[in-house]
């Protein structure tokens, strides 16, 4: 049976990808890095370390990966703290509360740093609904590898096949499927043209359809 629902954060809980992309493009210009928007979008869902390792190697940047990640993350956190720009994806608060009422274990598994994850759930007034907040920094390999989801399942004390993941990016969907979990792909235009075809289900919003899908998986398991 399904015991846990795991949420990605950027693009699923908050519409942050446009802000991330804009701020990263500013940093790219400062560093003399020129990549296409299409290539930039391929990093959606992966960690800052994953992206900057690839970019440092390709452009032979003198800065360390750690320094590049620090500058990237500080820019985003400073922006959020100064502007308060945290835009919830429509329906996220209602969905989390409905799943909580149905006694699913709930977790956030995001490539973002833990201080940003904690800030977001607090701003959305959802802190008390989650059993676990997990950052990609907690595992060796980031999405598209399955490590973050396997780590989250272990901490929740559930099996991978007892989890449903909600993701909006190719990297996230692929990681969750590789972990052996059911995946609901959320089409979010602000996350770019993401290939969600590996997902078990694809939805265009976080309405009641998501609850119905998870309930349907419960019934499907019960029949077997």
């Amino acid at each position: 049976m399904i015991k846990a629902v795991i949420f990605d954060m950027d693009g699923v809980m908050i519409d942050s990808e446009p802000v991330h992309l804009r701020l990263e493009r500013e940093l790219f210009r400062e560093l003399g890095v020129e990549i296409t928007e299409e290539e930039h979008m391929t990093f959606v869902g992966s960690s800052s370390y994953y992206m900057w390792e690839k970019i440092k190697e390709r452009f032979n940047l003198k800065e360390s990966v750690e320094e590049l990640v620090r500058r990237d993350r500080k820019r985003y956190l400073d922006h959020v703290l100064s502007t308060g720009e945290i835009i919830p994806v429509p329906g996220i608060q209602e969905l989390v509360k409905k799943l909580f009422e149905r006694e699913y274990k709930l977790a956030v598994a995001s490539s973002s740093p833990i201080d940003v994850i904690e800030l977001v759930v607090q701003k959305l007034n959802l802190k008390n609904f989650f059993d676990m907040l997990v950052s990609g920094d907690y595992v060796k390999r980031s999405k598209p590898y399955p490590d973050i989801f396997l780590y989250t399942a272990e901490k929740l004390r559930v099996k991978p096949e007892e989890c449903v993941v909600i993701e909006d990016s190719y990297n996230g969907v692929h990681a969750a499927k590789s972990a052996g979990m059911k995946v609901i792909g959320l089409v979010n235009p602000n996350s770019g043209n993401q290939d969600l075809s590996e997902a078990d289900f694809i939805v265009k919003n976080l309405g009641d359809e998501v609850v119905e899908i998870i309930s349907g998986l419960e019934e499907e398991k019960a029949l077997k």
Side-chain angles (χ1 to χ4, degrees):
M1 61 183 295
I2 302 302
K3 294 182 179 178
V5 182
I6 303 172
F7 291 81
D8 178 37
M9 186 181 76
D10 295 295
V12 171
M13 296 182 66
I14 56 172
D15 246 334
S16 55
E17 294 300 354
V19 177
H20 277 297
L21 294 168
R22 185 177 77 245
L23 296 176
E24 284 168 0
R25 281 195 292 269
E26 289 176 4
L27 186 49
F28 291 162
R29 284 193 293 271
E30 291 174 13
L31 295 166
V33 169
E34 294 184 8
I35 66 173
T36 64
E37 183 178 347
E38 183 180 10
E39 186 177 0
H40 194 181
M41 284 293 187
T42 66
F43 294 114
V44 171
S46 64
S47 72
S48 301
Y49 283 94
Y50 179 86
M51 181 182 77
W52 286 110
E53 282 172 359
K54 299 293 185 184
I55 292 174
K56 175 179 168 60
E57 181 180 358
R58 177 176 168 186
F59 292 94
N60 196 29
L61 299 177
K62 67 178 186 298
E63 294 86 355
S64 68
V65 172
E66 289 73 19
E67 172 62 15
L68 293 166
V69 169
R70 186 195 67 77
R71 287 174 63 178
D72 185 0
R73 290 180 168 184
K74 183 177 185 304
R75 187 173 296 231
Y76 178 71
L77 189 57
D78 287 349
H79 173 81
V80 170
L81 292 173
S82 64
T83 66
E85 188 176 10
I86 290 180
I87 304 169
V89 170
I92 183 62
Q93 284 134 318
E94 294 83 356
L95 176 59
V96 168
K97 290 171 184 176
K98 285 178 181 178
L99 295 173
F100 178 82
E101 289 169 359
R102 286 164 173 75
E103 299 185 349
Y104 292 106
K105 293 184 177 182
L106 303 179
V108 178
S110 168
S111 296
S112 291
I114 192 62
D115 54 351
V116 174
I117 299 171
E118 290 173 344
L119 178 63
V120 166
V121 295
Q122 184 175 347
K123 289 277 189 180
L124 296 181
N125 295 315
L126 293 175
K127 182 179 179 181
N128 295 330
F129 295 94
F130 286 103
D131 297 272
M132 184 74 54
L133 304 177
V134 178
S135 166
D137 294 343
Y138 293 179
V139 294
K140 185 174 181 180
R141 301 181 303 174
S142 66
K143 305 172 189 177
Y145 295 100
D147 303 34
I148 190 171
F149 293 119
L150 294 173
Y151 177 92
T152 304
E154 180 183 354
K155 292 300 180 182
L156 290 174
R157 298 183 179 178
V158 295
K159 299 175 183 176
E161 60 268 26
E162 295 172 333
C163 300
V164 174
V165 176
I166 304 176
E167 272 282 359
D168 70 311
S169 70
Y170 166 78
N171 289 320
V173 168
H174 183 75
K177 287 302 296 179
S178 298
M181 300 178 178
K182 292 291 186 182
V183 184
I184 299 174
L186 173 65
V187 177
N188 186 335
N190 288 326
S191 300
N193 185 24
Q194 296 289 318
D195 179 6
L196 304 178
S197 59
E198 280 190 79
D200 299 283
F201 307 91
I202 296 177
V203 299
K204 294 184 177 179
N205 58 65
L206 295 177
D208 289 339
E209 181 183 4
V210 176
V211 180
E212 291 168 6
I213 287 170
I214 296 170
S215 298
L217 289 170
E218 289 275 9
E219 294 170 7
E220 181 183 306
K221 292 282 185 182
L223 290 172
K224 289 183 178 179

